[in-house]
Amino acid sequence: MNDGPPLSFSAISAALRTSRMGRQMELLATCPSTNDRAAELARQGAPEGTLVVADAQTGGRGRLGRTWHSPAGANLYLSLLLRPTRPPADVPPLTLLAGAALAGAVAALGGEPRLKWPNDVLLRGPEGWRKTAGILTEMASERDRVRHVVVGIGVNVNLTALPAELSDRATSLRLALGRTIARDALLAELLNLFEPLYDAFDRDGPAVAVRAWRPYAAFGLRCRIDAGDRPAFEAVLRDVDDVGNLIVEDDSGTRTRVLAGDVTVVGTTNPDRP
Ligand code: BT5
């Protein structure tokens, strides 16, 4: 069963300490994808910080056309509209920035989240490190100017019934922490932490995102790296550079920089202590 307290517009608003993030909010019972709805609002001229939240999605998306499991009543599915003044090349590290804010909000609940490059939040369960949240950053840009960015975040909050295809890779805050979590308070805390980080990012660039992300990084994890430009290989996650590229070390000790791709945990190694 997936249940927990309902999402409440007034509870979210009351817990916000932001000036822009979430101050315009659309709270929906269901929609195909909050990222698509936020992009539509962006094209209609909605201001930075506009938030779309849904209790369920019928077409929740991951990267590369993958599906994001989005049942009702348990989780958070949200998209934040941003209008950064930075060039398009600086935008991808916003995924790291959002991960850092979410990790901070989860840590405030007593969790010990680890961030797996580029877009996953992991929590430890009895059988290893499992995905609790994923981030999908999408941008509309011209050659040298960003029109808008949508940062989409899906968090398994009170989910307890995992579909078979996710049972070996996913978990939820409730499964990891052993108690029901109020979704509106978690959402507000995420935005409260995100806004000052975002303001610093917009002023100073990707290094801000890397600095915020690093304390939660799942360095030391053994993973399969599929970067698309060479055959997939196994390596240990070692570092990120100052623009947010991943640095991994293979079994021969060779270090490689990964600019984009998929990183899947293999085995049951634990990440280094931060
Ligand atoms: C992601 O993609 O992790 C990004 C997920 C972003 C979802 C949010 S929800 C609000 C907003 N609106 C949207 O339509 N999307 C965003 P990726 O790294 O490609 O991971 C996708 C993979 O994660 C899938 O192929 C599954 O293996 C796994 N997965 C799917 N649903 C999951 C869930 N609820 N919990 C954990 N893992 C899941």
Side-chain angles (χ1 to χ4, degrees):
M1 205 173 80
N2 298 317
D3 65 354
L7 273 168
S8 140
F9 190 95
S10 55
I12 297 168
S13 303
L16 280 179
R17 297 188 303 272
T18 56
S19 64
R20 285 145 30 253
M21 301 299 156
R23 290 299 170 184
Q24 299 262 359
M25 189 194 329
E26 196 169 272
L27 176 56
L28 306 166
T30 184
C31 74
S33 157
T34 58
N35 265 35
D36 293 345
R37 178 61 187 147
E40 192 178 322
L41 292 172
R43 290 189 292 271
Q44 293 166 7
E48 177 161 271
T50 298
L51 174 70
V52 179
V53 190
D55 186 56
Q57 296 181 117
T58 52
R61 293 185 284 112
R63 296 177 301 150
L64 307 170
R66 291 187 283 238
T67 299
W68 187 255
H69 177 61
S70 308
N75 296 333
L76 279 174
Y77 316 108
L78 64 112
S79 298
L80 205 49
L81 167 59
L82 303 173
R83 298 188 181 279
T85 59
R86 311 224 44 104
D90 282 1
V91 165
L94 274 174
T95 298
L96 304 182
L97 197 81
L102 180 54
V106 169
L109 294 169
E112 288 187 40
R114 290 287 187 284
L115 297 173
K116 180 166 72 66
W117 188 95
N119 68 323
D120 289 359
V121 182
L122 309 179
L123 283 172
R124 195 197 344 230
E127 285 140 37
W129 290 83
R130 298 285 177 81
K131 182 161 173 168
T132 306
I135 299 163
L136 176 66
T137 300
E138 297 181 305
M139 166 170 62
S141 65
E142 286 146 26
R143 199 164 48 87
D144 53 5
R145 192 183 75 89
V146 174
R147 266 189 272 141
H148 67 255
V149 174
V150 172
V151 174
I153 306 179
V155 191
N156 298 333
V157 183
N158 293 314
L159 185 76
T160 51
L162 287 166
E165 71 273 16
L166 295 180
S167 61
D168 66 341
R169 68 192 64 183
T171 189
S172 68
L173 287 170
R174 174 151 154 190
L175 289 171
L177 300 178
R179 65 179 200 275
T180 301
I181 302 295
R183 287 180 287 168
D184 12 50
L186 175 63
L187 169 58
E189 184 61 8
L190 163 61
L191 299 184
N192 291 339
L193 293 174
F194 182 79
E195 187 171 276
L197 286 173
Y198 174 73
D199 288 343
F201 166 88
D202 203 40
R203 194 178 54 237
D204 299 333
V208 171
V210 173
R211 250 195 325 270
W213 185 86
R214 190 187 288 276
Y216 299 103
F219 295 141
L221 267 192
R222 187 171 180 81
C223 290
R224 186 174 172 77
I225 315 293
D226 192 351
D229 56 352
R230 59 181 271 198
F233 61 104
E234 284 192 14
V236 175
L237 311 185
R238 286 294 183 214
D239 207 351
V240 276
D241 66 17
D242 54 10
V243 292
N245 298 313
L246 177 67
I247 295 164
V248 302
E249 182 179 333
D250 70 16
D251 292 341
S252 69
T254 305
R255 290 195 171 207
T256 311
R257 202 174 294 261
V258 182
L259 278 61
D262 266 328
V263 174
T264 317
V265 183
V266 292
T268 53
T269 50
N270 281 317
D272 303 335
R273 290 226 145 255

